Amino acid sequence: MPREHILVIEDEEDVLELVRYNLAREGYTVGCAESGEAGLELARREHPDLIVLDLMLPGLDGLEVCRLLKADPLTEDISVVMLTARGEEADIVTGLEMGADDYLPKPFSPRVLLARIKAVLRRRSRALPDPGDVLKLHGMVIDPVRHKVSVGGRDIDLTHTEFRILHFLASRPGWVFTRYQIIDAVHGETHAVLDRSVDVQIAGLRKKLGEAGKYIETVRGVGYRFRET
Ligand code: CA
């Protein structure tokens, strides 16, 4: 049984109760807050492993809560899964760039929410591969030292940027990254690259990877993700 502590910040009582009930049944201990202010206070006091954070809150909204959590050394390491409404893609992007781990659009099934929470907690406990480690997944072998990629034993010729994007995404399977986060990881902050150029790079990368290109998934309105194994 899991022992993690989860805080749910949600002003809609029925959603709060649905989430609380399902998490408790799964063995998590659960704290609840119905406003951003109360949620922040509980987060500082109880230091949960993960926060389920509704974005649309009266008063201090979810994005502001996320920003404050990530700005405070006491709470910056707490994982955040955002609950979002239709049409909030821009807010999802902002939340991810602030450091939220994942998001789930409403309405959602408790089963899917539990799966997302488990995945985020699993990634949290799993260390990232060392920068020099050879990655092997989905029949792909990615060697960052020799800068080589093969799919099913066949070598693939990639540009420097394509390689770095692939290596960045494949090091973190299951994570959704915004275009800005990808640019930042691949070029560093000083390099001015337009969002669209990430799309062009990914399109080229997928084409060269052939059948394996499908493992780089487009997350509509948000960014890209490497499929989890
Ligand atoms: Ca709400």
Side-chain angles (χ1 to χ4, degrees):
M1 288 288 264
R3 289 271 178 263
E4 287 99 341
H5 183 57
I6 298 180
L7 171 62
V8 187
I9 307 177
E10 165 65 272
D11 61 311
E12 285 160 73
E13 255 175 66
D14 50 343
V15 180
L16 181 65
E17 181 49 30
L18 177 78
V19 174
R20 191 203 60 75
Y21 171 79
N22 280 280
L23 289 173
R25 201 178 57 168
E26 202 68 14
Y28 297 105
T29 60
V30 188
C32 294
E34 292 187 38
S35 73
E37 289 84 351
L40 277 173
E41 199 188 312
L42 265 188
R44 292 191 187 111
R45 186 154 17 110
E46 298 183 348
H47 201 273
D49 297 284
L50 183 146
I51 295 177
V52 177
L53 175 62
D54 184 35
L55 283 196
M56 194 100 74
L57 294 168
L60 206 56
D61 72 22
L63 280 182
E64 189 61 11
V65 172
C66 184
R67 192 184 66 73
L68 291 168
L69 286 169
K70 295 298 172 184
D72 184 344
L74 258 183
T75 55
E76 64 179 352
D77 62 328
I78 300 172
S79 299
V80 173
V81 174
M82 305 178 281
L83 299 180
T84 63
R86 192 194 295 268
E88 286 186 331
E89 278 84 4
D91 289 343
I92 294 169
V93 168
T94 305
L96 290 173
E97 286 172 356
M98 280 176 182
D101 296 83
D102 204 352
Y103 67 94
L104 192 62
K106 289 177 174 178
F108 55 84
S109 87
R111 199 171 50 80
V112 174
L113 177 66
L114 283 173
R116 292 297 180 83
I117 286 173
K118 279 183 192 161
V120 168
L121 290 171
R122 198 165 60 233
R123 289 181 216 148
R124 182 186 163 87
S125 63
R126 186 203 298 151
L128 280 177
D130 284 330
D133 285 355
V134 174
L135 306 176
K136 294 177 185 172
L137 60 179
H138 299 303
M140 244 179 264
V141 179
I142 303 166
D143 181 342
V145 173
R146 293 161 66 222
H147 248 250
K148 287 187 75 169
V149 178
S150 66
V151 176
R154 183 172 60 93
D155 286 344
I156 309 285
D157 192 23
L158 298 181
T159 65
H160 183 70
T161 303
E162 287 166 348
F163 182 88
R164 293 199 59 183
I165 291 175
L166 176 65
H167 182 253
F168 173 69
L169 293 175
S171 298
R172 299 155 181 83
W175 293 90
V176 180
F177 291 102
T178 68
R179 290 170 176 81
Y180 179 79
Q181 287 175 312
I182 294 171
I183 292 168
D184 198 31
V186 170
H187 290 294
E189 281 176 42
T190 54
H191 197 104
V193 184
L194 297 171
D195 281 7
R196 295 292 304 164
S197 75
V198 173
D199 298 338
V200 173
Q201 295 286 345
I202 298 255
L205 188 50
R206 279 186 180 139
K207 201 170 166 192
K208 289 181 183 176
L209 292 173
E211 179 64 11
K214 68 180 180 214
Y215 298 119
I216 301 173
E217 298 175 328
T218 302
V219 184
R220 190 180 288 274
V222 178
Y224 295 96
R225 158 181 66 203
F226 197 85
R227 194 186 299 173
E228 222 165 348
T229 48

